[in-house]
Amino acid sequence: MRLNQVIVSLLETDMYKFSMGQAIYHQFSDYKTTWSFKCRNEDVHFTDEMVDEIKEQIKAYCSLRFTEEELEYLNNVKWIKGSYIDFLRLWQPRFEDFEITSDAECGLAIETKGTWLNTSMYEIPTLAIVNEVYFRMQYSYDELFESFKKRLDDKVNKLFSGEYNLGSFSEFGLRRRLSSEAQELAIQKLSGVKYPASAFVGTSNVYLAKKFGLTPVGTMAHEWIMCVGQGNHKHNPAYSNWYALDAWVREYGVLNGIALTDAITTDCFLKDFQLTYATLFSGVRHDSGDPYEWGDKMIEHYKSLGIDHRGKTLLFSDSLDFERADKLNSYFKDRAKVAFGIGTYIANDTDVPALNIVMKTTACNGMDVAKISDTTGKGMCKNPEYINYLQRCIDWRMQYGR
């Protein structure tokens, strides 16, 4: 490797990989998935040297194992069960599950295939590696890091001055961070202090949460709804949310309950988010579409069910910066518990644009799966015919079904 090792611990992933991972282990251990990398930036190109470095970094990641200290840390999370800890004690990433080539328009193609238990865990470390390799090898990293530090200091100063009133916010930037060094510095500067109108409550990066004594934050991602709802070929995919919510409640009851609404559109989600689930889940997460319209819609839905919306959490996590979060908090703060997961703006705000890269599930158990979000262009599926089928199922249910 030309660079220092990017991922140094198997805890260096987002918390929702463990919450989903435990439920996968207990209920869907035989599911197999394919994941595909995509760079949405039209002006980005990965050189052959970058691709070679990414391969070496992923090989190094695959050599890691959980330590007993790390497992003990996870064992103290109240919803993690001993059976899952025992599985993690034996678990290891497999480089054989990866196919990494330069055969893509952007110069980098990555695909992983294998059990969902394995491939789910690869997404976040892979994206973190791709980001750090790209920025260190494409630019003068030291200059980028200086611009990052200046912007970070400006953010912290505005929090101290009370210019921003964010209420509760967490850091969600691991997958798109400038570097491990940058993310650690951001969390170090944001944590352990009191702001007049904001509270930094945690990070999705479990490794850094452990290091700084913070709360590791995260529940479910789109893969959960896509694979649980569409991976069983007997399921009508328009009911994906029902299958996903049902499996989650079987695993966690009332614990660990923030539901993601937009995997197959929020309107379809609300068909299944009726009294039982709306009561059991402590709140919902926004990840696409107009956040004000979404929040108003969720509050009205809680009202229609006779549920006190002021006790429910609205977690916003879509392309946020402090200014957007401040405005959203001002709009919703008296009507719900408002929280924010802020990623790229904290972990990769420099003088050059951040990468817009994703790694998504594209097949489960040999069949296409897809996300149809509330924003055009945020979905990802290799088969347009499946997208058409899924959309027709959703449209029929919205017009005629329950």
Side-chain angles (χ1 to χ4, degrees), residues 99-330:
E99 182 179 348
I100 307 166
T101 70
S102 57
D103 186 22
E105 187 174 346
C106 69
L108 175 63
I110 304 175
E111 193 166 81
T112 63
K113 294 181 180 180
T115 64
W116 190 15
L117 275 169
N118 280 358
T119 52
S120 175
M121 295 291 278
Y122 301 154
E123 176 197 1
I124 306 302
T126 297
L127 292 175
I129 286 168
V130 170
N131 261 295
E132 186 154 350
V133 168
Y134 178 79
F135 284 109
R136 285 189 181 273
M137 297 181 72
Q138 178 69 14
Y139 298 98
S140 168
Y141 172 78
D142 289 341
E143 292 180 8
L144 275 188
F145 190 55
E146 283 303 312
S147 70
F148 173 83
K149 289 192 290 185
K150 288 178 181 178
R151 290 171 181 236
L152 176 61
D153 286 342
D154 181 61
K155 295 180 184 73
V156 172
N157 289 336
K158 288 179 178 178
L159 288 174
F160 271 121
S161 71
E163 179 176 339
Y164 291 128
N165 181 353
L166 308 185
S168 298
F169 74 102
S170 302
E171 188 275 334
F172 276 20
L174 173 53
R175 72 185 63 204
R176 293 178 183 166
R177 68 188 184 185
L178 172 64
S179 64
S180 55
E181 174 186 32
Q183 188 184 22
E184 182 165 340
L185 178 65
I187 290 173
Q188 182 180 14
K189 289 205 168 189
L190 288 168
S191 62
V193 293
K194 289 187 176 181
Y195 304 108
S198 306
F200 181 68
V201 297
T203 173
S204 64
N205 184 329
V206 185
Y207 175 75
L208 291 180
K210 177 179 180 295
K211 184 170 184 175
F212 289 100
L214 298 168
T215 300
V217 181
T219 52
M220 68 175 70
H222 296 102
E223 66 176 279
W224 177 254
I225 297 101
M226 292 162 64
C227 292
V228 174
Q230 301 168 40
N232 184 330
H233 304 170
K234 297 177 182 178
H235 290 172
N236 180 335
Y239 293 80
S240 293
N241 288 300
W242 185 89
Y243 290 110
L245 294 171
D246 179 66
W248 198 265
V249 168
R250 277 188 275 121
E251 185 69 31
Y252 294 114
V254 298
L255 298 176
N256 203 24
I258 296 288
L260 182 58
T261 71
D262 72 330
I264 56 170
T265 74
T266 293
D267 287 340
C268 194
F269 168 84
L270 293 179
K271 288 277 192 180
D272 294 313
F273 199 60
Q274 296 301 315
L275 185 59
T276 297
Y277 294 135
T279 301
L280 290 174
F281 281 81
S282 58
V284 285
R285 177 160 76 94
H286 170 267
D287 199 54
S288 65
D290 184 286
Y292 295 94
E293 292 179 6
W294 175 86
D296 286 338
K297 183 180 293 186
M298 293 309 310
I299 288 171
E300 289 305 312
H301 185 71
Y302 281 124
K303 284 181 179 179
S304 72
L305 298 173
I307 294 173
D308 185 0
H309 48 88
R310 293 168 297 181
K312 294 297 183 178
T313 297
L314 301 181
L315 173 59
F316 296 89
S317 64
D318 181 31
S319 303
L320 292 174
D321 57 26
F322 285 0
E323 183 177 355
R324 292 191 190 100
D326 176 86
K327 291 177 180 178
L328 284 165
N329 185 55
S330 177

